[in-house]
């Protein structure tokens, strides 16, 4: 019984994230999922979905972790999210800006394994 419930939770959470135009926090997901599963199960499902290359996480300017769908060819070994995340100061939404790719240049002997670029400002809906 536990396996079926967990699979249903995983499917519902993935559908929720895939159908959202903004990144969702754990609290957002828990509110929308309702009584389907508890908060610990949501954390476990989110962790598994990220490891499987289905979603990526973004830490916003307030330190809240948000989750968004992977729209590139991500897989279990590597997430490729070389785009900007925009955090609206008014409505607090986090949006992936796919068509703006930053150029990062590090000094010699440094290598990048990952980065999280969050720009803070006001989104078009709040202007």
């Amino acid at each position: 019984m536990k396996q079926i419930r967990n699979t249903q939770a995983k499917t519902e959470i993935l559908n929720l994230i895939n159908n959202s135009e903004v990144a969702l926090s754990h609290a957002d997901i828990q509110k929308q999922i309702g009584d389907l599963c508890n908060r610990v199960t949501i954390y476990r499902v989110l962790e598994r979905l990220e490891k499987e290359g289905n979603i990526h996480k973004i830490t916003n300017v307030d330190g809240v972790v948000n989750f968004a769908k992977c729209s590139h060819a991500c897989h279990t070994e590597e997430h490729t999210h070389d785009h900007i995340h925009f955090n609206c100061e008014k409505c607090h939404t986090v949006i992936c800006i796919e068509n703006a790719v930053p150029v990062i240049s590090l000094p010699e002997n440094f290598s990048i394994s990952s980065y999280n670029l969050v720009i803070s400002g006001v989104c078009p809906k709040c202007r």
Side-chain angles (χ1 to χ4, degrees), residues 11-60:
T11 301
E12 292 296 323
I13 291 169
L14 183 58
N15 286 339
L16 181 65
I17 293 171
N18 282 339
N19 293 320
S20 179
E21 293 186 16
V22 299
L24 300 172
S25 68
H26 181 279
D28 295 332
I29 294 166
Q30 189 170 12
K31 188 184 300 180
Q32 292 185 46
I33 291 295
D35 294 334
L36 178 63
C37 57
N38 63 32
R39 64 181 186 81
V40 175
T41 300
I42 295 171
Y43 279 118
R44 288 182 182 147
V45 168
L46 290 170
E47 184 177 297
R48 186 173 343 147
L49 289 171
E50 183 184 17
K51 284 182 182 177
E52 292 173 354
N54 294 307
I55 64 172
H56 66 284
K57 59 181 162 183
I58 307 108
T59 304
N60 72 15

Side-chain angles (χ1 to χ4, degrees), residues 45-93:
V45 168
L46 290 170
E47 184 177 297
R48 186 173 343 147
L49 289 171
E50 183 184 17
K51 284 182 182 177
E52 292 173 354
N54 294 307
I55 64 172
H56 66 284
K57 59 181 162 183
I58 307 108
T59 304
N60 72 15
V61 294
D62 298 324
V64 176
V65 176
N66 291 268
F67 301 89
K69 64 184 171 187
C70 288
S71 57
H72 296 290
C74 292
H75 47 81
T76 54
E77 290 84 31
E78 181 182 9
H79 282 275
T80 55
H81 297 284
D82 55 352
H83 60 266
I84 294 169
H85 299 99
F86 187 87
N87 191 162
C88 182
E89 295 170 344
K90 290 189 176 184
C91 66
H92 305 286
T93 58

